[in-house]
């Protein structure tokens, strides 16, 4: 099954190499390209054929039978802003969930031909090589993070958290594609992750890849990720660093703010 999904994802990736146009969705920071739409259409057609009766939740307005036992959670291009500006740092992210649990995750970066995959209980692999999180302590950690791109009213909270974490770790990175950042964490290239509000299609595949590589990823205060709403994300290479990052997040983020974010249901 995994090989078949990888083949479909790689075929879809060819569509990112064709000419495309860009338009705004909710605002200037929220763009979509015709490549996002073409990749999503292709994945929908092929994956629906491959697994008849399966549901879909995907970034570019696709929601179908998402109460089915098997549901595909798809970001056709994660890092659309990068892609639209010619920054070669974006990825196709495809997760397959069974009864609400992610069982397969595939993240493919077409510009660099990097493929990250995981199957539940079978480990995570980068271009065929087993992945494992780093063993760096917090003070040597690299934190991947972002602002609240599509809800700028959360910026001050993000800045407070990032400032405090930056003061205690080695450095921060903002690559602009959560799916790949979670894979970097899985592969030991960075060690910590925080984002205040993120969509299931951005993290579903990366979540499985990271946890299969030994990492931790939750919502606020250890909340499990439910795949049906926007959520804060806190991730780390190990329990100790996860607790330390959670403590920093908890200085500025409240339960009611987390509830406000997770009350924002998504269905594509
Ligand atoms: C975005 C990217 C970005 C993250 C945002 C996501 P998109 O996904 O993953 O890194 O900070 O939260 O929405 O819109 O490029 O698919």
């Amino acid at each position: 099954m995994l090989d078949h999904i990888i083949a479909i994802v790689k075929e879809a990736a060819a569509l990112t190499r064709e000419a495309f146009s860009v338009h705004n969705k909710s605002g200037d920071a929220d763009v979509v390209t015709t490549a996002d739409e073409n990749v999503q259409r292709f994945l929908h057609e092929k994956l629906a054929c491959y697994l008849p009766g399966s549901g879909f939740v995907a970034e570019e307005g696709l929601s179908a039978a998402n109460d089915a036992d098997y549901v595909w959670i798809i970001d056709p291009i994660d890092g659309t802003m990068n892609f639209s500006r010619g920054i070669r740092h974006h990825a196709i992210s495809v997760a397959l969930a069974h009864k609400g649990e992610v069982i397969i995750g595939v993240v493919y970066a077409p510009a660099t031909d990097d493929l990250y995959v995981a199957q539940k209980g079978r480990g995570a692999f980068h271009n065929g090589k087993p992945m494992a999180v780093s063993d760096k302590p917090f003070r040597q950690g690299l934190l991947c993070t972002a602002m609240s791109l599509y809800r700028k009213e959360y910026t001050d909270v993000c800045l407070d958290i990032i400032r405090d974490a930056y003061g205690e770790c080695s450095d921060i990175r903002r690559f602009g594609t959560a799916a790949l950042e979670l894979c970097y964490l899985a592969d030991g290239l960075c060690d910590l992750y925080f984002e205040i509000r993120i969509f299931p299609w951005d993290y579903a595949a990366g979540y499985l890849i990271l946890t299969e590589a030994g990492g931790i990823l939750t919502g606020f205060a250890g909340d499990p990720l439910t795949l049906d709403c926007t959520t804060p994300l806190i991730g780390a290479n190990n329990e100790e660093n996860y607790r330390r990052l959670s403590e920093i997040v908890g200085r500025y983020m409240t339960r009611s703010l987390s509830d406000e974010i997770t009350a924002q249901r998504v269905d594509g």
Side-chain angles (χ1 to χ4, degrees), residues 25 30-31 36 59-60 75 77-81 145-147 149-150 174-179 181 193 195 197-199 201-202:
K25 294 201 284 185
D30 191 6
V31 296
D36 294 69
E59 182 173 20
E60 306 312 336
D75 194 339
I77 300 182
D78 183 58
T80 299
M81 182 61 88
T145 190
M147 300 302 189
L149 185 57
Y150 305 130
R174 197 292 190 253
F175 290 110
T177 150
E181 286 166 327
Y193 187 91
E195 186 154 348
R197 179 179 177 272
I198 190 156
F199 294 86
W201 43 77
D202 297 316

Side-chain angles (χ1 to χ4, degrees), residues 138 156-157 160-168 194 220 234 243-255 257:
F138 202 96
D156 285 348
V157 181
D160 284 337
I161 293 166
I162 293 168
R163 184 200 56 236
D164 280 18
Y166 177 62
E168 294 184 34
F194 169 71
F220 177 68
I234 302 170
R243 275 203 304 272
R244 187 140 169 207
L245 183 58
S246 296
E247 187 272 313
I248 293 171
V249 172
R251 290 177 201 163
Y252 302 101
M253 188 156 187
T254 58
R255 166 56 63 191
L257 176 53

Side-chain angles (χ1 to χ4, degrees), residues 16 19 60 96-97 128 156 210 236:
T16 65
E60 306 312 336
L96 179 62
D156 285 348
L210 173 58

